[in-house]
Amino acid sequence: MKSHRISDEQRRARLGRRHLLASGHRATTVEDVADALVALHATDAATVYLSACARLAEPSTAEVERGLYEDVTLIKLLSMRRTLFAVSREFAPYVGSSTARAIAVKERAAFVKFLRDGTDGGWDEERLARTEAEVLEALGARGEATTAELAKDVPALKETIVVAPGKPYEGRQSVGSRLLRLLASDGHVRRARPRGSWTSSLYPYARVPQLPEIDVREAKAEVARRWLAAYGPATEADLKWWTGWTLGDTRRALADVGVTDVELAHGAGLVLPDDLDDEPAAAPWVALLPGLDPTSMGWRGRDWYLSPDHVPALFDRAGNVGPTVWSDGRVVGGWAQRADGEVVWRPLADVGRETAAAIDAEAARLAAWLGGVRVTPRFRTPLERELSA
């Protein structure tokens, strides 16, 4: 029996609707955005805001802050690919059980070794556990606090660790900065509203209830199901890369979901069983997406929406994508913000006069809601550097 074929054009048609990028399909809440994309990249403080506001009918940093810091309906977890993501509160237990908890175990083992090797044997698991308990007690009394503030209550946080001993780049790092990140990866604390603007990475911490535990296999299947609903059709390699799971775990999760084989332009693909129907394209749309946006980083195989010729300009050497310009499901250029706040862009392909005008309008929309706030991506790419100069 011949498998169902889904063309690149049909895959691109899904993006405008499912990823909330077409103007008629934008969301009203940040939780809707997070669920539509499964997870929002949060390594760079500004990315969550830029990704969400690109998809909100009414862009608003206040709406994103409501979800992150007031209602706490978005939860940040060190999870897929050992990357920080923001996911909806309802979905967080599945991400926690499927991925984040295993990463936290590795983070703890690495930190214990780091302490032993870098502090002349002054730390062990017992002292670490005691210090963590003191930090959580102090944090409970304060409500929220930065690492520096907590160090006033727990002096052990001021101690330093030798990093890369004997190397030319040897240095020292405080115990506190690593220990708070460890407590966050374990799910004991969360990053509260940053001190400063929404682009700041100076976070105080607050205590948080532990996420409910879900059977690991069930959790992995749910993550795979949601990802395929948002990013399918896709390949086994795409899901393995996106999650950071082993090949065995990836295949087991796909089998538990019960996927259907399809034929793609570049080989075999997978979809959910009820997702074979062609999806009509949304009205012509354009979007300016930030570095590390979930759509730009959604697949390992990207040729169907991104020309390989454009990769050197749009990605850094570590594989992080920078700010991109999209038109009807394709990356057609890059953008940046200059020191005076102006949003500028450059096409990397012929887009035509009407599309160029639409991109200009979207750039103006972005500049308007930024309101003069200057955003510099954490991971700089060649085109972004050139445009922002």
Side-chain angles (χ1 to χ4, degrees):
M1 180 178 177
K2 187 176 181 180
S3 63
H4 187 87
R5 179 177 175 80
I6 299 180
S7 68
D8 287 350
E9 183 178 357
Q10 289 168 325
R11 296 181 76 181
R12 291 190 290 267
R14 294 173 177 231
L15 284 186
R17 295 171 178 270
R18 299 191 184 192
H19 288 211
L20 311 178
L21 293 168
S23 59
H25 298 275
R26 289 176 178 150
T28 56
T29 71
V30 69
E31 295 86 358
D32 288 341
V33 174
D35 280 338
L37 296 167
V38 185
L40 293 168
H41 278 267
T43 304
D44 189 334
T47 298
V48 175
Y49 292 84
L50 293 166
S51 291
C53 287
R55 297 167 170 89
L56 288 172
E58 296 183 8
S60 166
T61 57
E63 168 60 17
V64 181
E65 289 178 330
R66 177 193 61 75
L68 286 172
Y69 308 123
E70 295 171 17
D71 297 342
V72 196
T73 47
L74 287 187
I75 310 295
K76 290 183 179 180
L77 295 172
L78 186 66
S79 48
M80 287 73 71
R81 302 192 309 282
R82 198 179 166 275
T83 297
L84 192 65
F85 283 91
V87 301
S88 67
R89 184 166 56 197
E90 182 270 334
F91 185 46
Y94 295 94
V95 175
S97 295
S98 70
T99 309
R101 284 204 174 94
I103 290 174
V105 169
K106 293 180 180 179
E107 290 290 304
R108 178 167 292 277
F111 187 49
V112 170
K113 183 178 186 302
F114 192 48
L115 284 171
R116 283 176 171 166
D117 294 348
T119 59
D120 299 320
W123 284 83
D124 55 19
E125 288 94 333
E126 183 178 346
R127 187 183 179 199
L128 175 59
R130 186 168 63 250
T131 304
E132 287 179 307
E134 292 172 1
V135 168
L136 291 174
E137 182 179 357
L139 197 53
R142 285 178 174 268
E144 65 176 53
T146 64
T147 304
E149 290 166 344
L150 287 167
K152 297 176 182 178
D153 303 322
V154 185
L157 297 181
K158 298 177 183 179
E159 295 185 27
T160 59
I161 313 167
V162 177
V163 181
K167 301 291 179 62
Y169 45 89
E170 177 181 320
R172 302 194 74 88
Q173 188 178 77
S174 73
V175 169
S177 61
R178 288 287 296 267
L179 189 145
L180 266 295
R181 289 201 295 270
L182 182 66
L183 285 172
S185 69
D186 273 338
H188 293 296
V189 303
R190 66 175 177 86
R191 292 166 175 82
R193 190 189 300 270
R195 304 284 172 84
S197 76
W198 54 269
T199 63
S200 171
S201 294
L202 179 58
Y203 294 102
Y205 289 89
R207 294 193 66 169
V208 65
Q210 291 272 275
L211 293 173
E213 290 193 17
I214 295 175
D215 175 76
V216 173
R217 185 164 178 172
E218 176 189 347
K220 287 183 184 293
E222 179 62 9
V223 170
R225 186 192 68 77
R226 290 193 183 218
W227 184 84
L228 269 178
Y231 294 85
T235 67
E236 177 185 272
D238 288 330
L239 178 61
K240 178 182 180 297
W241 173 83
W242 188 86
T243 57
W245 296 340
T246 66
L247 181 59
D249 282 344
T250 303
R251 288 177 172 172
R252 189 176 302 110
L254 289 170
D256 288 344
V257 169
V259 295
T260 297
D261 295 330
V262 294
E263 182 183 349
L264 304 177
H266 303 284
L270 304 166
V271 294
L272 296 175
D274 59 354
D275 196 22
L276 289 170
D277 293 339
D278 292 344
E279 190 161 321
W285 60 271
V286 299
L288 272 65
L289 301 183
L292 296 179
D293 185 82
T295 301
S296 306
M297 296 288 288
W299 300 262
R300 182 183 180 187
R302 299 166 180 151
D303 289 359
W304 59 277
Y305 66 88
L306 171 67
S307 169
D309 294 339
H310 301 160
V311 170
L314 297 173
F315 284 73
D316 70 8
R317 293 181 180 179
N320 300 302
V321 71
T324 51
V325 178
W326 290 68
S327 174
D328 298 334
R330 285 190 181 91
V331 176
V332 297
W335 66 273
Q337 188 185 30
R338 291 182 174 158
D340 62 0
E342 181 186 8
V343 174
V344 295
W345 67 281
R346 178 182 297 169
L348 296 175
D350 182 17
V351 298
R353 185 177 300 175
E354 289 187 8
T355 298
I359 295 170
D360 285 338
E362 189 64 16
R365 176 178 180 262
L366 172 58
W369 76 256
L370 283 174
V373 173
R374 179 75 173 88
V375 179
T376 302
R378 180 172 177 177
F379 302 103
R380 308 294 299 276
T381 54
L383 184 55
E384 187 275 329
R385 286 181 182 276
E386 184 179 345
L387 289 174
S388 62

